[in-house]
Amino acid sequence: MRRAVCPGSFDPIHNGHLEVIARAASLFDEVIVAISTNYAKKYRFELEDRLEIASETLTYLRGVSVRPMGDGLLAEFCREQGANLIVKGLRSSADFEYEIPMAAMNRQLAGIETVFIPAEASYSHLSSTLLKEVAALGGDISSFVPKAVLKRLSEDPR
Ligand code: PNS
């Protein structure tokens, strides 16, 4: 049984995330999308919203579940979930530089391997931060995020 954890803030989840999760689902038996909370971080969407958006959006993928990760160590969360793989999408060399030390640390802490999935070129410019900025300034992000995100944004524009 290959059970992988795909962690992130997902604030909000976007089409680049969805594409990586779908590819992970085709590689592994189970993929747990783990939504993090970092109390030092200010989120645009509450944890409950981030969980609901991801759950609603990912129902079409078999073997994928969405769970809160809490604010602890990712390695510990993986151990609790019985997962020995972490999946991350890579958009650029900057992502690679950022991810490599964390992958080494998670392996040393708990023997957990990190598998990187290169982002599809048409999504490699997407980030939640950029999309939130575009949306806040009135830009159209409808081709980059699932409908559940657009619905929340229209209910609570800021
Ligand atoms: O979407 P993000 O904000 O880039 O996700 C970052 C996340 C949640 C994957 C990362 O912050 C993380 O792994 N947090 C858990 C805390 C932890 O384990 N830190 C040590 C990493 S080796």
Side-chain angles (χ1 to χ4, degrees), residues 7-9 36 41 69 72-74 88 102 105-106:
S9 306
S36 66
K41 224 169 155 174
M69 194 181 107
L73 277 177
L74 174 57
K88 296 272 186 95
M102 293 200 286
M105 183 59 79
N106 285 321

Side-chain angles (χ1 to χ4, degrees), residues 21-97:
I21 294 164
R23 282 159 67 197
S26 74
L27 292 170
F28 308 116
D29 301 302
E30 280 183 29
V31 176
I32 299 168
V33 175
I35 304 198
S36 66
T37 311
N38 175 343
Y39 291 105
K41 224 169 155 174
K42 199 153 167 41
Y43 296 99
R44 168 65 174 80
F45 295 92
E46 299 294 334
L47 175 64
E48 286 310 313
D49 282 323
R50 289 181 283 136
L51 286 165
E52 274 178 27
I53 292 169
S55 304
E56 283 169 29
T57 305
L58 289 164
T59 45
Y60 74 101
L61 284 176
R62 268 188 50 198
V64 174
S65 58
V66 177
R67 296 180 199 167
M69 194 181 107
D71 62 344
L73 277 177
L74 174 57
E76 190 50 39
F77 176 83
C78 291
R79 212 174 353 218
E80 286 163 14
Q81 301 292 323
N84 58 1
L85 287 168
I86 293 167
V87 181
K88 296 272 186 95
L90 279 188
R91 293 165 298 190
S92 63
S93 56
D95 277 357
F96 182 80
E97 299 285 336

Side-chain angles (χ1 to χ4, degrees), residues 3 6 8 12 17 19 34 40 44 57-58 60 62 70 76 85 88 97-98 103 116 119 126 131 133 142 148:
R3 181 178 294 151
C6 185
H17 292 133
E19 205 258 340
R44 168 65 174 80
T57 305
L58 289 164
Y60 74 101
R62 268 188 50 198
E76 190 50 39
L85 287 168
K88 296 272 186 95
E97 299 285 336
Y98 177 71
F116 295 111
L126 296 188
L131 291 170
E133 182 179 333
S142 58

Side-chain angles (χ1 to χ4, degrees), residues 14-17 19-20 23 89-92 95 117-127 130 143-144:
H14 57 66
N15 293 350
H17 292 133
E19 205 258 340
V20 167
R23 282 159 67 197
L90 279 188
R91 293 165 298 190
S92 63
D95 277 357
I117 296 186
E120 161 69 36
S122 54
Y123 297 124
S124 62
H125 61 303
L126 296 188
S127 72
L130 186 58
S143 50
F144 307 123

